[in-house]
Protein backbone atom coordinates (compact mmCIF):
# COMPACT_ATOMS: atom_id res chain seq x y z
CA UNK A 1 0.00 0.00 0.00
CA UNK A 2 1.37 3.33 -0.94
CA UNK A 3 0.95 6.21 1.33
CA UNK A 4 0.26 6.41 5.01
CA UNK A 5 1.67 3.12 6.08
CA UNK A 6 -1.68 1.54 6.86
CA UNK A 7 -1.68 -2.05 5.83
CA UNK A 8 -4.68 -4.21 5.02
CA UNK A 9 -4.75 -7.26 7.22
CA UNK A 10 -4.79 -10.62 5.55
CA UNK A 11 -8.18 -12.13 4.83
CA UNK A 12 -8.96 -15.15 6.92
CA UNK A 13 -9.88 -17.99 4.51
CA UNK A 14 -12.19 -19.56 7.13
CA UNK A 15 -14.14 -16.31 7.50
CA UNK A 16 -14.38 -16.03 3.72
CA UNK A 17 -15.74 -19.57 3.52
CA UNK A 18 -18.26 -18.73 6.27
CA UNK A 19 -19.39 -15.65 4.32
CA UNK A 20 -19.77 -17.74 1.14
CA UNK A 21 -21.74 -20.40 3.03
CA UNK A 22 -23.99 -17.76 4.62
CA UNK A 23 -24.51 -16.10 1.25
CA UNK A 24 -25.56 -19.49 -0.17
CA UNK A 25 -28.02 -19.98 2.70
CA UNK A 26 -29.44 -16.49 2.21
CA UNK A 27 -29.78 -17.13 -1.54
CA UNK A 28 -31.59 -20.42 -0.86
CA UNK A 29 -33.89 -18.72 1.63
CA UNK A 30 -34.62 -15.89 -0.83
CA UNK A 31 -35.38 -18.49 -3.54
CA UNK A 32 -37.75 -20.30 -1.16
CA UNK A 33 -39.40 -17.00 -0.21
CA UNK A 34 -39.87 -16.07 -3.86
CA UNK A 35 -41.36 -19.50 -4.58
CA UNK A 36 -43.78 -19.06 -1.68
CA UNK A 37 -44.72 -15.56 -2.84
CA UNK A 38 -45.19 -16.88 -6.39
CA UNK A 39 -47.46 -19.71 -5.17
CA UNK A 40 -49.41 -17.27 -2.99
CA UNK A 41 -49.87 -14.87 -5.88
CA UNK A 42 -51.01 -17.71 -8.13
CA UNK A 43 -53.55 -18.80 -5.51
CA UNK A 44 -54.82 -15.23 -5.09
CA UNK A 45 -55.01 -14.79 -8.85
CA UNK A 46 -56.99 -18.01 -9.22
CA UNK A 47 -59.32 -16.93 -6.43
CA UNK A 48 -59.77 -13.51 -8.04
CA UNK A 49 -60.53 -15.10 -11.42
CA UNK A 50 -63.05 -17.43 -9.76
CA UNK A 51 -64.74 -14.51 -8.01
CA UNK A 52 -64.91 -12.49 -11.23
CA UNK A 53 -66.36 -15.47 -13.14
CA UNK A 54 -68.93 -16.05 -10.40
CA UNK A 55 -69.85 -12.36 -10.45
CA UNK A 56 -70.15 -12.44 -14.25
CA UNK A 57 -72.33 -15.55 -14.12
CA UNK A 58 -74.49 -13.96 -11.43
CA UNK A 59 -74.95 -10.81 -13.49
CA UNK A 60 -75.87 -12.88 -16.56
CA UNK A 61 -78.34 -14.94 -14.53
CA UNK A 62 -79.83 -11.80 -13.05
CA UNK A 63 -80.22 -10.29 -16.51
CA UNK A 64 -81.91 -13.43 -17.80
CA UNK A 65 -84.19 -13.62 -14.76
CA UNK A 66 -85.13 -9.95 -15.11
CA UNK A 67 -85.84 -10.45 -18.81
CA UNK A 68 -88.03 -13.48 -18.09
CA UNK A 69 -89.85 -11.60 -15.34
CA UNK A 70 -90.54 -8.66 -17.63
CA UNK A 71 -91.85 -10.99 -20.34
CA UNK A 72 -94.04 -12.79 -17.80
CA UNK A 73 -95.37 -9.44 -16.55
CA UNK A 74 -96.28 -8.33 -20.08
CA UNK A 75 -97.97 -11.70 -20.70
CA UNK A 76 -99.94 -11.29 -17.47
CA UNK A 77 -100.99 -7.76 -18.43
CA UNK A 78 -102.08 -9.03 -21.85
CA UNK A 79 -104.11 -11.84 -20.25
CA UNK A 80 -105.71 -9.37 -17.84
CA UNK A 81 -106.67 -7.15 -20.75
CA UNK A 82 -108.17 -10.18 -22.53
CA UNK A 83 -110.09 -11.07 -19.38
CA UNK A 84 -111.31 -7.49 -19.05
CA UNK A 85 -112.57 -7.55 -22.64
CA UNK A 86 -114.19 -10.94 -22.09
CA UNK A 87 -115.93 -9.61 -18.96
CA UNK A 88 -117.46 -6.59 -20.77
CA UNK A 89 -120.87 -8.30 -21.28
CA UNK A 90 -121.15 -9.37 -17.62
CA UNK A 91 -122.84 -6.19 -16.29
CA UNK A 92 -125.48 -6.33 -19.05
CA UNK A 93 -125.98 -10.03 -18.36
CA UNK A 94 -126.35 -9.34 -14.63
CA UNK A 95 -128.99 -6.70 -15.42
CA UNK A 96 -130.89 -9.19 -17.59
CA UNK A 97 -130.74 -11.79 -14.81
CA UNK A 98 -132.08 -9.25 -12.30
CA UNK A 99 -134.86 -8.34 -14.74
CA UNK A 100 -135.73 -12.04 -15.19
CA UNK A 101 -135.72 -12.56 -11.45
CA UNK A 102 -138.07 -9.62 -11.01
CA UNK A 103 -140.34 -10.97 -13.75
CA UNK A 104 -140.35 -14.40 -12.09
CA UNK A 105 -141.19 -12.86 -8.75
CA UNK A 106 -144.11 -10.97 -10.33
CA UNK A 107 -145.31 -14.19 -12.01
CA UNK A 108 -145.09 -16.00 -8.68
CA UNK A 109 -147.10 -13.21 -7.12
CA UNK A 110 -149.77 -13.58 -9.78
CA UNK A 111 -149.92 -17.35 -9.32
CA UNK A 112 -150.56 -17.15 -5.57
Amino acid sequence: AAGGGGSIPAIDPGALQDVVALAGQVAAQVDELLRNVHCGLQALTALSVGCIQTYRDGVESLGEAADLSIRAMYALVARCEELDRAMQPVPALAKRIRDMKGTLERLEGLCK
Side-chain angles (χ1 to χ4, degrees):
S7 65
I8 299 175
I11 297 175
D12 181 12
L16 190 57
Q17 287 176 351
D18 289 344
V19 168
V20 169
L22 288 173
Q25 288 176 356
V26 167
Q29 289 174 351
V30 167
D31 284 344
E32 181 66 24
L33 176 67
L34 289 176
R35 274 192 295 277
N36 289 339
V37 167
H38 177 73
C39 290
L41 287 175
Q42 281 183 326
L44 289 174
T45 300
L47 181 63
S48 296
V49 167
C51 289
I52 290 169
Q53 288 172 342
T54 301
Y55 178 77
R56 181 201 61 212
D57 294 345
V59 168
E60 287 177 3
S61 294
L62 178 64
E64 291 171 5
D67 187 45
L68 289 174
S69 295
I70 290 169
R71 289 180 186 180
M73 182 191 65
Y74 279 117
L76 177 63
V77 168
R79 296 276 169 95
C80 288
E81 289 172 350
E82 289 173 13
L83 181 60
D84 186 52
R85 282 191 298 273
M87 297 295 286
Q88 291 292 329
V90 170
L93 185 59
K95 183 180 182 315
R96 287 181 60 196
I97 291 171
R98 281 192 301 272
D99 291 344
M100 285 183 198
K101 184 178 175 186
T103 303
L104 284 175
E105 287 173 358
R106 282 192 297 269
L107 282 174
E108 280 181 358
L110 291 175
C111 291
K112 287 186 181 182

